[in-house]
Amino acid sequence: MIDQIETLLKDHYPKNKGFFVFGSSVYKTTSSQSDIDVVVIEDELHGQSKTHGKFDFQFVSLESFLKQVKKCDIKSLEGLFTDLKRFDFSVSKEDIDWAQLRSSISEKSSHSWVKAKKKLIDQEFYIGKKSLWHSLRIMLFGLQLSRHKAIVDFQEANPHYLPIITGSTNWEVLQGEYKSLYNQLHSDFKKIQPK
């Protein structure tokens, strides 16, 4: 897969400065319909998206990517710590402003929880369920980042994936099943990650 991406980028976007794979390919939650999501570091195409077969490329400038890493943006941190990447520039955990981790992770996880409720009420069940799962995954990754200064297990949230995806489509039922876990993860995160 990495070789395919490198070949596509060399052929179509030779000015790229690197890339990372994110999403279900990294979490190992792919299905036969899954695309492969890739962030490409390319200044001139910043903000654009392109599709090449099963590969969905999202373009971001190097400056923006480095700012997002510093601000503890979870997607960018996933890119930093995944093995499915190639960078033509230097970036490391020393570039992260760890003081921003608590607010960044809490905000993103909370946003996913709220999105889950909205999408399920609007009967967009798959998106709603995935958002619910992401709210837990993001918090679990936040805990890893607090403890290890890295994401060390991209599959930690997977035991919750199938039960959520194949379970009830009713928000009240799902909230009853997962609210206590969601609250516990937030509580654990606040205990170990200072403001």
Side-chain angles (χ1 to χ4, degrees):
M1 174 175 60
I2 295 295
D3 291 341
Q4 285 180 277
I5 295 170
E6 287 184 318
T7 299
L8 277 169
L9 293 178
K10 182 179 178 183
D11 291 346
H12 296 278
Y13 311 104
K15 294 182 180 178
N16 83 85
K17 297 172 182 169
F19 66 89
F20 64 87
V21 179
F22 73 99
S24 59
S25 298
V26 177
Y27 315 140
K28 306 293 187 206
T29 57
T30 55
S31 68
S32 58
Q33 296 95 343
S34 295
D35 292 327
I36 297 171
D37 297 308
V38 184
V39 169
V40 180
I41 315 300
E42 216 281 18
D43 294 339
E44 293 178 11
L45 295 173
H46 175 78
Q48 297 185 39
S49 300
K50 307 277 184 183
T51 300
H52 292 269
K54 63 183 177 179
F55 297 102
D56 284 338
F57 293 151
Q58 296 178 14
F59 296 90
V60 63
S61 69
L62 177 57
E63 179 183 11
S64 180
F65 174 66
L66 294 176
K67 281 181 180 177
Q68 293 302 316
V69 166
K70 182 172 183 151
K71 289 172 30 178
C72 297
D73 170 72
I74 188 60
K75 184 161 125 181
S76 299
L77 293 182
E78 289 177 39
L80 178 62
F81 294 113
T82 183
D83 292 331
L84 300 176
K85 69 173 182 284
R86 295 280 191 275
F87 294 148
D88 297 336
F89 55 89
S90 177
V91 60
S92 71
K93 61 177 72 176
E94 285 72 33
D95 297 312
I96 300 168
D97 180 1
W98 293 102
Q100 297 191 51
L101 183 66
R102 180 167 167 174
S103 61
S104 179
I105 292 293
S106 296
E107 180 181 325
K108 191 70 173 178
S109 177
S110 297
H111 175 76
S112 290
W113 181 269
V114 170
K115 181 178 178 181
K117 177 180 180 179
K118 180 181 186 313
K119 293 298 182 182
L120 286 161
I121 290 171
D122 290 345
Q123 299 187 1
E124 295 181 53
F125 299 126
Y126 183 67
I127 295 172
K129 289 179 174 194
K130 279 192 77 172
S131 295
L132 174 60
W133 179 73
H134 284 306
S135 72
L136 304 176
R137 176 192 61 76
I138 291 164
M139 193 52 61
L140 287 166
F141 285 6
L143 285 161
Q144 290 183 42
L145 287 159
S146 291
R147 293 177 177 130
H148 308 290
K149 297 294 187 258
I151 299 171
V152 296
D153 181 2
F154 279 88
Q155 298 175 46
E156 184 180 9
N158 289 12
H160 305 294
Y161 184 77
L162 279 179
I164 290 173
I165 295 300
T166 61
S168 176
T169 58
N170 182 289
W171 168 249
E172 299 300 328
V173 171
L174 288 167
Q175 183 179 30
E177 291 176 354
Y178 292 99
K179 183 68 172 175
S180 62
L181 173 60
Y182 174 80
N183 288 341
Q184 185 61 56
L185 292 173
H186 274 263
S187 177
D188 293 346
F189 182 61
K190 288 177 181 177
K191 286 177 186 173
I192 66 171
Q193 182 60 41
K195 284 186 178 180

